[in-house]
Amino acid sequence: MAAEKIYRASTTAPVNIAVVKYWGKRDAKLNLATNSSLSVTLSQDDLRTLTTATCSSSYTGDDSLTLNGAPSDITGARTQACLRELRSLRQALEDADAALPKLSAMPLRLVSENNFPTAAGLASSAAGFAALVRAVADLYELRSLPTDLSLIARQGSGSACRSLFGGYVAWRHGTQADGLDSRAEQVAPASHWPQMRALVLVVSAAKKGVSSTSGMQQTVGTSDLFGERVARVVPKHMDAMEAAVAARDFASFAEVSMKDSNSFHACCADTYPPIYYMNDVSRAAVRAVEAINEAAGKTIAAYTFDAGPNAVIYYLEENSGPVVGTFYGLLRGTEGWKDEAKSYSSSSIQLDEAVSSIVKGGVSRIIMTGVGEGPTKTEQHLA
Amino acid sequence: MAAEKIYRASTTAPVNIAVVKYWGKRDAKLNLATNSSLSVTLSQDDLRTLTTATCSSSYTGDDSLTLNGAPSDITGARTQACLRELRSLRQALEDADAALPKLSAMPLRLVSENNFPTAAGLASSAAGFAALVRAVADLYELRSLPTDLSLIARQGSGSACRSLFGGYVAWRHGTQADGLDSRAEQVAPASHWPQMRALVLVVSAAKKGVSSTSGMQQTVGTSDLFGERVARVVPKHMDAMEAAVAARDFASFAEVSMKDSNSFHACCADTYPPIYYMNDVSRAAVRAVEAINEAAGKTIAAYTFDAGPNAVIYYLEENSGPVVGTFYGLLRGTEGWKDEAKSYSSSSIQLDEAVSSIVKGGVSRIIMTGVGEGPTKTEQHLA
């Protein structure tokens, strides 16, 4: 008897960092958002999840997930929702064509690895769920468009839906109760703005804060300022951001990014009890960016912060001198610099002593990266 | 020829700490606020400004002000506005009665001292302007009610108008362009709630932040969330706070205080560029108060922060054990404890290690106080 075939597909998927933030669900089960969001997909050369999905009728037992070498819980409602939806799409194909192997009935084995450490403090749930959904969709040879797959990834982790695309990606919050219009779409590809770069300052010893899922619902439930953000601030920021990206207007891109990050963290501080993701190191990074812009006489760098203290600083390659140079000047001994960083240090600007010392003492790692592609099929397999 | 008489009046005036915050002017010249505010007048036994006002036809030159032993600038528009208004009221009395000495025409000498150090980081402008206005009003034997004098003090420093009264004081923001309805009034005297106490945690090495006058107008001009605070949040907090004070409902008093402080700081963070008055020590104090309330199973302590990192913690005397005891347990070597504090340390609750260490490392002084009276005439003279 022939050995039973093992079906396999591997994909890499990216991390994304929002410049107009998702914070607040209007439906927790389907992960529908109170407002739209827009993100920049970071380059997979620097940050990516690689996932291999296999299935076989020779497998016994339940689906399994191995994450960075260790068994991971696959029974959670979110992961189950993704797998259920994907199986259902595969089953529809099998029902329509009896010749297709019944992959939907076989146990799945998923093996996933990040090329960046957990210590980087970069939430990997977006890249992880995007990779899972893409890998299984490829395994199942689904015909769904990425925007349709984003509906599934969204149910795993809201921001994961944006990692189904490269470049500049919007998650339209939608209004339907069934969530079918709450999906991601690409606003512009990475190639649209080749000069865009990102510098991540990983803040050391950061104690794990309130989980995003829990935190955002506390904000929805208790912040009196939040309604204004949803009704007026985010729509204004989304329009301005899309226009800025289309026009490659960095000053506007930066201003909206900084304002939206501030607005999101303000709503967290207005939550009861208050949620504080940024710390004194984060705020020193804000001051450093302001000083860089002040010295340049125009906005050449933007800060943004997610649900944690790490700073993500966007800038254009042509301004690497003052931007990278200034942080390299403070943090030359810190892990993560690319070789080119050293060449910019002569363009560093002088920072306030207190700001310098807080940044120096508080940043444990650097990640230099750019804008990249969405999930990419690979022949590199983990299983 | 007889020596020319020197006319003299001395007063002490208190500091006040708002529980519903003033932040935002609708008229910078008259110091009219975007929203109402409500404060607690602290006991002059612990914090007070003593001001002696003298005038004499034997004095030559301009008015002068000596503050804590050093000459101080009296030419600023704000101080000049107060003196002009006070002179004008005196002149009206002199015009109506020729027998009155023409004090309004004489140079003024003002000598003022605080019984708390500048290093306490407690803004003394409220106590200072209230003392100046009250002392000159007494010197001039004006018949104005404290609420009318609050109109004058308001022009010196907005929050000074609330220091014209003891106990619980509201500054009604008013709507008239001339500011005649933008005045302070007492909501309840100190004696209404004899158990109320305040513990101030002075945060060390705090670099001077953005000035309130400048900061609040930046918020008015750039924060998209601020309009909601003015239109809906503060009116709601004012109503709830007045009801809580009237009913001596501490849990409600505390909840509104904490929420309003959070709302104010959220609007600061939503300003562009963002204004950060609270730091990691302030946030650790928030966590400590939350832990104290959690351990008690009810709200027995409230934090509030002004335009700086110091924490002011309100509590009732009956809960001194867990409240004072817990902070005394962390900060027993710190200057400022009253003798009674030691007796509470057995009631201290256990705090998270990170919170404890940040509070221990960041608080340089303690002030234990209670609620007290408004400006009080004194025969203690500085000149």
Side-chain angles (χ1 to χ4, degrees), chain A residues 23-26 34 212-227 230 267-268 270-273 275, chain B residues 236 255 259:
Chain A
W23 189 255
K25 300 177 204 291
R26 56 180 168 91
T34 46
S212 294
T213 293
S214 170
M216 65 176 73
Q217 292 316 92
Q218 290 174 37
T219 298
V220 168
T222 65
S223 163
D224 286 334
L225 299 176
F226 181 71
V230 169
C267 289
C268 287
D270 189 56
T271 300
Y272 189 71
I275 296 171
Chain B
K236 181 172 88 156
E255 192 175 296
K259 284 179 171 179

Side-chain angles (χ1 to χ4, degrees), chain A residues 28-365:
Chain A
K29 185 157 165 293
L30 292 173
N31 255 355
L32 303 181
T34 46
N35 52 269
S36 294
S37 55
L38 199 151
S39 59
V40 179
T41 292
L42 301 185
S43 171
Q44 291 188 40
D45 292 345
D46 304 300
L47 299 159
R48 64 115 182 90
T49 295
L50 163 62
T51 298
T52 296
T54 61
C55 63
S56 173
S57 46
S58 69
Y59 291 168
T60 57
D62 298 323
D63 299 330
S64 70
L65 168 62
T66 305
L67 186 55
N68 294 328
S72 187
D73 182 23
I74 204 170
T75 64
R78 306 260 193 106
T79 313
Q80 288 296 308
C82 291
L83 297 178
R84 193 167 44 242
E85 298 256 345
L86 290 160
R87 277 200 164 94
S88 163
L89 289 170
R90 172 65 191 183
Q91 182 147 14
L93 294 181
E94 292 162 0
D95 291 347
D97 181 353
L100 290 177
K102 305 249 179 286
L103 305 186
S104 63
M106 302 172 191
L108 282 161
R109 289 186 191 168
L110 304 162
V111 184
S112 198
E113 271 177 22
N114 298 328
N115 69 346
F116 54 96
T118 315
L122 286 158
S124 52
S125 63
F129 275 106
L132 181 151
V133 170
R134 186 76 256 179
V136 175
D138 289 351
L139 178 72
Y140 287 173
E141 296 185 345
L142 301 181
R143 294 181 206 130
S144 312
L145 295 169
T147 185
D148 300 317
L149 293 181
S150 79
L151 294 172
I152 301 175
R154 188 203 73 225
Q155 296 183 58
S157 165
S159 59
C161 73
R162 299 186 311 244
S163 278
L164 267 294
F165 295 90
Y168 304 80
V169 185
W171 170 13
R172 307 295 177 193
H173 74 290
T175 50
Q176 291 171 213
D178 61 14
L180 291 178
D181 64 344
S182 186
R183 52 173 70 223
E185 59 188 27
Q186 192 181 57
V187 163
S191 59
H192 169 73
W193 207 346
Q195 285 220 35
M196 184 68 74
R197 299 288 182 276
L199 177 67
V200 183
L201 307 183
V202 179
V203 175
S204 33
K207 190 179 133 166
K208 188 172 155 61
V210 177
S211 84
S212 294
T213 293
S214 170
M216 65 176 73
Q217 292 316 92
Q218 290 174 37
T219 298
V220 168
T222 65
S223 163
D224 286 334
L225 299 176
F226 181 71
E228 186 68 10
R229 171 171 167 75
V230 169
R232 266 167 290 282
V233 178
V234 173
K236 180 171 88 156
H237 287 176
M238 285 295 291
D239 288 346
M241 183 58 79
E242 286 189 69
V245 169
R248 284 184 285 268
D249 178 346
F250 185 85
S252 179
F253 168 91
E255 191 174 298
V256 178
S257 296
M258 292 187 277
K259 284 180 172 179
D260 199 79
S261 179
N262 294 342
S263 170
F264 152 54
H265 288 279
C267 289
C268 287
D270 189 56
T271 300
Y272 189 71
I275 296 171
Y276 304 125
Y277 287 123
M278 290 172 68
N279 63 14
D280 286 350
V281 182
S282 314
R283 272 176 289 280
V286 167
R287 300 300 176 218
V289 167
E290 289 170 352
I292 288 168
N293 290 331
E294 173 83 19
K298 55 178 178 151
T299 307
I300 62 168
Y303 53 76
T304 186
F305 299 86
D306 279 349
N310 296 347
V312 177
I313 297 164
Y314 287 107
Y315 64 101
L316 297 180
E317 200 270 335
E318 71 202 23
N319 291 314
S320 296
V323 181
V324 176
T326 298
F327 286 104
Y328 183 77
L330 288 183
L331 299 162
R332 60 184 73 227
T334 306
E335 198 175 333
W337 291 109
K338 291 184 173 174
D339 293 340
E340 60 183 278
K342 202 180 331 247
S343 66
Y344 300 126
S345 53
S346 58
S347 307
S348 77
I349 68 130
Q350 190 66 24
L351 295 173
D352 174 81
E353 180 50 43
V355 167
S356 299
S357 101
I358 293 172
V359 171
K360 274 191 227 187
V363 175
S364 59
R365 175 186 291 267

Side-chain angles (χ1 to χ4, degrees), chain B residues 34-58:
Chain B
T34 46
N35 52 269
S36 295
S37 56
L38 198 151
S39 57
V40 180
T41 292
L42 300 185
S43 170
Q44 292 188 41
D45 293 345
D46 305 300
L47 299 159
R48 63 117 183 89
T49 295
L50 164 62
T51 297
T52 297
T54 60
C55 62
S56 173
S57 45
S58 69

Side-chain angles (χ1 to χ4, degrees), chain B residues 289-310:
Chain B
V289 167
E290 289 170 352
I292 288 167
N293 290 331
E294 173 83 18
K298 54 179 178 147
T299 306
I300 61 169
Y303 53 76
T304 185
F305 299 85
D306 280 348
N310 296 347

